Amino acid sequence: FSQIRLENIVPQVKAFIDSARKTIAQLCEVTDPSWQTVLQPLEDLFAQESILWSPIRHLNNVMSTPELRKVHDEALALWTEYHNFLGQH
């Protein structure tokens, strides 16, 4: 937790979402869906998301400061938009 820098949170979330959108687009093109070709890559994507977001969410829950809340809320809006996109694909 001590390595998390507020100024890095939003750029890291944006970078993850950009990469995830590309992965989702590729998965939507799979013509022979299976666990290996679609579900495992999705599981991997969700695991990466959790690794990125869980510590940030936890910090906001236990050490909420005005600065952290601002960054958390900005990142949360990005997550919300991304999950809406994900639900449509």
Side-chain angles (χ1 to χ4, degrees):
F1 291 104
S2 64
Q3 296 177 359
I4 296 174
R5 301 286 176 252
L6 295 182
E7 63 271 11
N8 295 335
I9 291 174
V10 171
Q12 288 179 342
V13 168
K14 285 181 179 180
F16 172 82
I17 290 172
D18 288 345
S19 175
R21 284 177 177 263
K22 291 175 186 171
T23 299
I24 297 300
Q26 292 170 346
L27 294 176
C28 287
E29 299 298 320
V30 172
T31 58
D32 186 27
S34 69
W35 176 267
Q36 291 79 18
T37 62
V38 176
L39 296 177
Q40 187 60 56
L42 278 176
E43 288 291 321
D44 295 343
L45 192 64
F46 297 151
Q48 292 169 3
E49 177 182 332
S50 181
I51 289 168
L52 174 62
W53 186 242
S54 292
I56 298 164
R57 187 180 60 221
H58 176 74
L59 274 180
N60 189 58
N61 288 334
V62 300
M63 189 192 83
S64 186
T65 64
E67 298 83 11
L68 178 56
R69 278 193 302 275
K70 181 179 181 222
V71 171
H72 176 272
D73 291 350
E74 185 178 347
L76 185 59
L78 296 170
W79 283 123
T80 301
E81 181 183 342
Y82 164 68
H83 277 272
N84 287 337
F85 163 83
L86 188 60
Q88 299 298 315
H89 294 82

